[in-house]
Amino acid sequence: MTLGAGLLAALSVPASAEGRDLSRETLPAGDGWAAYGSGTTGGAAADKAHVFTVHDRAGLVRALDGGSAVPKIIRIAGAIDANTDDKGAPLTCDDYATGGYDLSAYLTAYDPRSWGGAKPSGPQEDARRASAARQAERVELAVGSNTTIVGLGSGAVLKGASLQVRDADNVIIRNLDLRDAYDCFPAWQPNSGGLGDWKTAYDNLWLRGATHVWIDHVTVSDAGHSDADEPTHFGRNYLRHDGLLDITNGSDLVTVSWSRFADHDKAMLIGNSDTATGDRGKLRVTLHHNEFTSVVQRAPRVRFGQVHLYNNRYVVPADAHDFRYALGVSTESAVYAENNAFTTPGHIEAADLVKSWNGSALHATGTLFNGFPVDLLALNNSYNSGSERDLTPDVGWAPTLHGPVTSAEQADRDVASRAGAGRAS
């Protein structure tokens, strides 16, 4: 099933369009996996009593109603900071700290040279956990079934929050700038990655066991707090951010369109574990007309899911020296990528765009790399060091739910001018 050009144009109009109530709009038929079956209508059926315009965290929390399934429309006006108290006063990391937590004391207690490789335990770890729980109470916001969240105009911002769509169905999130889900209390994991690493808690947007979700014209970033500016502890970057958008734990039937993911390390994870075999037959996701700019990896990384990735734009800035890969092909993934455009500096080659961990297949056609057509699959297999098997082009399925697939060159221009929160069509 495909959509006409007129309908495709309508899909690209964000919530700031004059004369329209986008909060009542539903996902058009055929627009990606979220259109499958019953489709995605969000809170379109909400009565007047469940249509809210919110200006602060307290109003947003009341409107979300603890993640209830009552049909609701939540319109966000202006900038909302999740790290605020019930009266709207800002909260800092020091305000959350409890139980005697102190970063210097934590670093002294769990220095690998003295603590070794055991999992941290004891007073400072207990205090870190208690402090983290206090922050989580403020910044983790549950989004329930039959909900639409839409930003009003071009200045709708939700800062510091982790929106969590958990075990919910039928959700729409549009025209919203989600930024800086900042973890005050990262945990040290001595054995992570062999050298140890810092583990952070919050994704800006996390779909966990969520179904029928449409995410459209959002901007998601670390704006305000770059992990690159954080110090190094135990030889590892003291990370403060997790994912921009993670789709895990059996989530299914998701469309992400006309959105912008920026200034981050691990952008998007689809499927959280190689051993989560319950994800088989789920994690069906469409990503179209999105921009990934200045992200290091996971754009996306996929396990198990059938993911249609078309007409997206990737930009790696000239000063990026930590880029790892764009498309991560992992256990039993079935990524169908077509007509995506990549712009990178000279030290990044087309073969660097794909990384495989136990992957077996990748359909990749119509790719544009710095203005030239390339065969991503052939390049991956040619440059494969032998640590992974060659990928085959047969992913076992072909998408039918999508709009017109334009050339990568055309998509590159369209996405640059129209993707993200507050962007006119």
Side-chain angles (χ1 to χ4, degrees), residues 230-296:
E230 295 291 338
T232 296
H233 296 308
F234 305 153
R236 307 293 285 174
N237 184 218
Y238 190 53
L239 297 174
R240 297 302 190 113
H241 303 91
D242 195 5
L244 294 179
L245 166 60
D246 280 7
I247 303 170
T248 67
N249 299 82
S251 292
D252 198 19
L253 306 176
V254 177
T255 297
V256 183
S257 58
W258 297 99
S259 293
R260 188 171 186 268
F261 301 89
D263 306 319
H264 189 78
D265 183 0
K266 300 170 182 176
M268 186 184 301
L269 184 65
I270 301 176
N272 61 305
S273 170
D274 291 344
T275 61
T277 55
D279 286 342
R280 287 175 178 146
K282 300 177 182 178
L283 298 174
R284 291 173 290 181
V285 179
T286 300
L287 304 175
H288 74 83
H289 295 93
N290 302 294
E291 178 175 283
F292 296 87
T293 183
S294 193
V295 299
V296 176

Side-chain angles (χ1 to χ4, degrees), residues 23-24 46-55 59-65 68 70-77 147-150 152:
S23 62
R24 292 282 183 183
D47 58 26
K48 290 183 179 180
H50 292 92
V51 177
F52 309 93
T53 299
V54 300
H55 303 266
L60 177 58
V61 169
R62 287 193 297 270
L64 287 168
D65 190 27
S68 77
V70 175
K72 63 185 75 67
I73 292 171
I74 303 172
R75 299 164 173 162
I76 293 181
T147 298
T148 291
I149 302 175
V150 61
L152 295 180

Side-chain angles (χ1 to χ4, degrees), residues 92-156:
T92 69
C93 293
D94 288 341
D95 293 317
Y96 294 124
T98 189
Y101 174 81
D102 177 79
L103 177 59
S104 295
Y106 186 92
L107 294 173
T108 299
Y110 306 116
D111 188 325
R113 293 171 296 183
S114 55
W115 178 261
K119 184 178 179 180
S121 62
Q124 275 300 307
E125 173 60 10
D126 292 344
R128 186 203 65 79
R129 288 177 176 270
S131 301
R134 294 183 69 186
Q135 185 183 19
E137 289 178 358
R138 306 306 298 178
V139 303
E140 292 183 349
L141 303 176
V143 181
S145 299
N146 309 312
T147 298
T148 291
I149 302 175
V150 61
L152 295 180
S154 59

Side-chain angles (χ1 to χ4, degrees), residues 402-425:
H402 58 83
V405 181
T406 65
S407 69
E409 182 179 17
Q410 180 65 49
D412 192 42
R413 293 193 298 267
D414 291 344
V415 173
S417 63
R418 293 156 55 188
R423 302 296 292 272
S425 61

